[in-house]
Amino acid sequence: MRLFPFNLTGPHFLWFFIVFGLCVVMIPLYRRRTSPSHDDSPLPHLTDPIEIATLRAGYEEAARLALIVLNDRGVIKQDGKTFRGLLGSAESIRAPLELAVFQYFQRGLPPGDLLKDGAVRHLGRKLESSLELRGLWVPAVKRAQVFCLSLAALSVVAGLRIWMSGPPFAFLLIECAAFVVLADWVRRQSPSARGVRLLSQLRALFLRLKARANRIQRGEGQEVALLAAVFGFGALPFSVRSMLTLLRPKSKSSGGSCGSGSGCGSGSCGSGGGCGGGCGGGCGS
């Protein structure tokens, strides 16, 4: 006699697997973002827009913000499908990441490879490490381990069901694929509970800035940077979509990868039997 949940009929097992998968994938995010009841330590004072953008969405967002800020200050100009840095402007740039972005485009390199540039990545990782030291950011290795454990749990349950019941199992594989995508999204949610609290405080603090966003013009420097850093680029009163679109890497024909960056092993989670075939290469290192 089969034990629960493997004694459920097909449709009932699919409903069970949805609930099980949501618990496995989302509970770690809930725990990550829930402050311990005894954690009443003061939050750090964060005023640099580049650091705030990094806390909100990682160093990639900070690099995008650096480009928007430099363009707003007239230091970098959009030239068709690329950008160019104005000669003699480097001396006016103080933030290291902004300077790295400026120097990247001064070399005439393609926008789509900005986030892969060694200097940009190095300075971005330093920003993320600084947030980790202040307890505002969950280390990438820890998030990758949770990602792999979630996929392992889903793979075991789905694999046992397929082994015991056999075909058809197409709908179960579809659910597995959806949970792989969801788990990867959870993996990319980097702020810790303290980081989430700080972001909430910053949004409350700059609510008046957002309320008068329509009156902010290009060239207003710090206000543009803070508005985009705290609330995202969609909060800006002018469109920056064309610039951000140029930063997207050119699509490649190769497929089969469901992770990226600091994911499990090489970030590839094959879609073979079970739930995405688990994580190739182990759970980070």
Side-chain angles (χ1 to χ4, degrees), residues 58-103:
Y59 87 86
E60 295 93 342
E61 188 80 349
R64 297 184 192 103
L65 177 64
L67 172 62
I68 300 303
V69 169
L70 292 172
N71 177 261
D72 183 66
R73 284 157 44 188
V75 176
I76 283 181
K77 297 291 186 181
Q78 185 173 353
D79 186 12
K81 293 187 176 181
T82 188
F83 300 93
R84 56 184 178 86
L86 300 184
L87 294 175
S89 300
E91 292 78 8
S92 64
I93 303 173
R94 296 289 179 264
L97 185 60
E98 290 182 5
L99 183 59
V101 171
F102 174 81
Q103 292 173 339

Side-chain angles (χ1 to χ4, degrees), residues 19 40 66 75-76 79 95 105 117 132 148 152 156-157 164 169-170 191 193 214 242 244-245 255 265 269 276:
V19 176
D40 55 356
V75 176
I76 283 181
D79 186 12
F105 288 116
D117 180 66
E132 288 178 16
C148 287
V156 169
V157 174
M164 291 181 178
F169 45 77
N214 290 334
S242 61
L244 297 178
T245 300
C269 301

Side-chain angles (χ1 to χ4, degrees), residues 1-273:
M1 182 178 178
R2 295 178 183 176
L3 299 176
F4 180 84
F6 303 107
N7 60 347
L8 296 174
T9 61
H12 291 156
F13 183 84
L14 290 176
W15 281 110
F16 160 81
F17 195 73
I18 290 174
V19 176
F20 173 75
L22 288 173
C23 291
V24 167
V25 173
M26 299 304 295
I27 285 178
L29 179 62
Y30 173 78
R31 294 184 60 187
R32 184 187 307 166
R33 292 194 166 183
T34 303
S35 299
S37 57
H38 61 274
D39 185 11
D40 55 356
S41 55
L43 295 173
H45 191 53
L46 216 62
T47 58
D48 180 14
I50 295 295
E51 279 194 312
I52 296 172
T54 304
L55 174 62
R56 182 172 56 81
Y59 87 86
E60 295 93 342
E61 188 80 349
R64 297 184 192 103
L65 177 64
L67 172 62
I68 300 303
V69 169
L70 292 172
N71 177 261
D72 183 66
R73 284 157 44 188
V75 176
I76 283 181
K77 297 291 186 181
Q78 185 173 353
D79 186 12
K81 293 187 176 181
T82 188
F83 300 93
R84 56 184 178 86
L86 300 184
L87 294 175
S89 300
E91 292 78 8
S92 64
I93 303 173
R94 296 289 179 264
L97 185 60
E98 290 182 5
L99 183 59
V101 171
F102 174 81
Q103 292 173 339
Y104 176 87
F105 288 116
Q106 201 172 39
R107 297 196 300 269
L109 298 174
D113 292 335
L114 171 65
L115 302 180
K116 301 177 184 177
D117 180 66
V120 172
R121 288 173 62 91
H122 173 70
L123 291 170
R125 297 301 184 195
K126 283 184 65 176
L127 285 169
E128 293 179 350
S129 297
S130 172
L131 295 175
E132 288 178 16
L133 291 175
R134 286 177 278 182
L136 301 173
W137 187 268
V138 180
V141 171
K142 184 175 180 179
R143 288 182 279 118
Q145 290 173 344
V146 172
F147 174 73
C148 287
L149 289 173
S150 298
L151 292 194
L154 293 168
S155 298
V156 169
V157 174
L160 285 174
R161 174 67 180 193
I162 292 172
W163 176 67
M164 291 181 178
S165 303
F169 45 77
F171 287 110
L172 181 57
L173 293 182
I174 291 172
E175 287 185 2
C176 282
F179 282 125
V180 169
V181 174
L182 182 61
D184 186 60
W185 175 82
V186 169
R187 179 184 63 81
R188 289 182 277 109
Q189 305 309 300
S190 307
S192 65
R194 283 169 55 82
V196 171
R197 282 170 51 204
L198 181 57
L199 284 173
S200 298
Q201 289 187 7
L202 288 170
R203 291 187 183 109
L205 180 64
F206 291 105
L207 201 57
R208 290 185 178 181
L209 177 64
K210 186 179 181 183
R212 59 183 181 84
N214 290 334
R215 298 196 295 273
I216 296 176
Q217 304 295 323
R218 285 184 177 273
E220 296 195 13
Q222 189 72 359
E223 289 191 337
V224 170
L226 283 171
L227 187 63
V230 176
F231 298 103
F233 300 115
L236 293 174
F238 47 85
S239 177
V240 295
R241 182 178 300 177
S242 61
M243 286 191 287
L244 297 178
T245 300
L246 293 177
L247 296 185
R248 294 175 184 170
K250 294 181 179 179
S251 59
K252 297 181 180 179
S253 57
S254 60
S257 172
C258 68
S260 60
S262 57
C264 304
S266 61
S268 119
C269 301
S271 57

